[in-house]
Amino acid sequence: MNFKNIPCWVKVASVVLVAVFLLNWPADSGQWAAWVQAFGSVLALVVAIRLSEQERFTRRQERDQDRAEQAHAAAYDMTTLAVELHGRIVQLHAYSTGDQDRSVYLSEVLFFKNFQQRLARCTSGSVPVMQKNLGLEVRKLALAVTYYVVARSLRQAPQEPDWITWAERANGLFHQADMAIPKT
């Protein structure tokens, strides 16, 4: 047992109890029984407090570990989303140069609806602020792409975006998300 981890009040109470015991040495078996009960009670209190502190410490460690795992998983998911966004931008650019049927863009609308929901899960809860900010950047780019896809699905002719800039932004977001993954 490491005596440095014992709280000061326990050390003081133990010294006081031993001092009182030595000053009032028991004379008969009844007094001995009372002293044994007193020492047992103090020991039981010390053990109960120590177990409680140990349990609280263990729960705190588990909670911190869970938060770290959630942040790691969310950062990894954010990286995956950034890669998917880059891939969709490249794919949409290829679609935009051809005469695509409306159903292609309708499926993209459904993809981006699902994408936004997955992105919301990556940035909710106890994730680091940097990751939430990165999520906002990914969301902005995804919304711009979604606007283009919706307009095309409605057979409107939106202004053609700067596909290279969008692809570079998505690639940059991927690298930022990759850097946000905690290294273990």
Side-chain angles (χ1 to χ4, degrees):
M1 175 182 229
N2 187 352
F3 290 105
K4 292 180 181 177
N5 293 338
I6 297 175
C8 185
W9 69 268
V10 172
K11 293 175 186 175
V12 170
S14 300
V15 169
V16 169
L17 184 62
V18 169
V20 171
F21 173 74
L22 293 174
L23 293 174
N24 296 309
W25 193 260
D28 60 19
S29 64
Q31 289 179 348
W32 274 103
W35 276 107
V36 167
Q37 183 179 4
F39 277 108
S41 297
V42 170
L43 182 63
L45 283 171
V46 169
V47 168
I49 290 169
R50 181 73 179 146
L51 289 175
S52 171
E53 288 173 352
Q54 185 63 35
E55 177 66 23
R56 186 176 38 228
F57 176 76
T58 303
R59 274 187 274 138
R60 186 179 305 126
Q61 278 186 321
E62 288 172 356
R63 185 187 66 232
D64 292 346
Q65 179 68 26
D66 286 345
R67 284 183 180 165
E69 287 173 3
Q70 287 173 351
H72 186 273
Y76 182 78
D77 290 345
M78 182 74 70
T79 305
T80 304
L81 288 171
V83 168
E84 286 181 28
L85 182 59
H86 181 267
R88 289 297 176 145
I89 288 170
V90 170
Q91 186 178 1
L92 286 168
H93 182 192
Y95 290 162
S96 72
T97 59
D99 186 26
Q100 295 299 322
D101 139 351
R102 183 177 166 192
S103 64
V104 168
Y105 292 105
L106 289 175
S107 68
E108 291 298 313
V109 169
L110 294 176
F111 167 81
F112 278 104
K113 178 182 178 189
N114 178 274
F115 184 91
Q116 293 291 346
Q117 291 169 345
R118 290 172 47 212
L119 183 59
R121 283 193 300 270
C122 287
T123 57
S124 64
S126 60
V127 296
V129 173
M130 180 180 84
Q131 190 168 327
K132 288 187 182 204
N133 292 339
L134 181 60
L136 290 174
E137 291 302 314
V138 171
R139 180 170 283 124
K140 281 188 229 175
L141 181 56
L143 286 174
V145 176
T146 304
Y147 170 77
Y148 173 81
V149 168
V150 168
R152 288 297 293 248
S153 71
L154 297 174
R155 296 191 191 267
Q156 297 176 358
Q159 177 182 354
E160 282 299 308
D162 183 355
W163 293 105
I164 293 173
T165 302
W166 276 7
E168 287 174 351
R169 273 185 65 200
N171 194 36
L173 291 170
F174 158 72
H175 288 295
Q176 286 179 1
D178 189 46
M179 296 299 290
I181 295 176
K183 307 302 181 223
T184 54

